[in-house]
Amino acid sequence: MTYVIKNSGTKERFDIGKARNSIRKAAVDASISAGKVRGLIERVTGNVCKMAKSKTVVTTREIRDMILNDSDKISRLFSKAWRRFEKKYKE
């Protein structure tokens, strides 16, 4: 079982659904087509799952970095939307 250490220091079970939902929200903001969104979600979350399965503890920062690194290769538009989304909700 993998746990995620959040920015606040709290620890919770890894839930790939949270990553999928975050990716979906940023993709909608980037006006990416539904077909591309599904592909993006599957590719990026597949890589995140592989990382999570290889560790017992990951940080939200590691997950974020992996999502952005993968998405930069797939869709710059998505990556920009993700960064806007982060900025909006971190303020």
Side-chain angles (χ1 to χ4, degrees):
M1 177 171 304
T2 302
Y3 289 91
V4 175
I5 305 297
K6 299 178 73 120
N7 291 332
S8 65
T10 59
K11 185 175 170 181
E12 65 180 50
R13 286 178 69 177
F14 175 73
D15 178 4
I16 194 61
K18 286 186 173 187
R20 281 189 179 109
N21 288 337
S22 295
I23 292 167
R24 189 174 291 113
K25 287 176 185 176
V28 166
D29 189 42
S31 300
I32 296 174
S33 71
K36 282 189 177 182
V37 170
R38 283 190 295 278
L40 181 70
I41 289 171
E42 291 311 310
R43 181 168 173 189
V44 174
T45 58
N47 290 337
V48 170
C49 280
K50 285 178 191 174
M51 177 192 60
K53 287 179 182 178
S54 70
K55 298 181 172 191
T56 54
V57 177
V58 296
T59 64
T60 54
R61 183 65 172 198
E62 288 175 290
I63 294 169
R64 174 206 178 270
D65 289 348
M66 179 167 268
I67 289 170
L68 285 173
N69 286 336
D70 284 352
S71 65
D72 278 339
K73 297 172 192 170
I74 300 166
S75 171
R76 289 255 184 225
L77 188 60
F78 170 83
S79 297
K80 287 179 183 179
W82 178 282
R83 288 177 175 94
R84 279 193 310 268
F85 181 80
E86 271 188 333
K87 197 174 191 178
K88 179 179 175 182
Y89 288 100
K90 284 192 176 188
E91 292 178 348

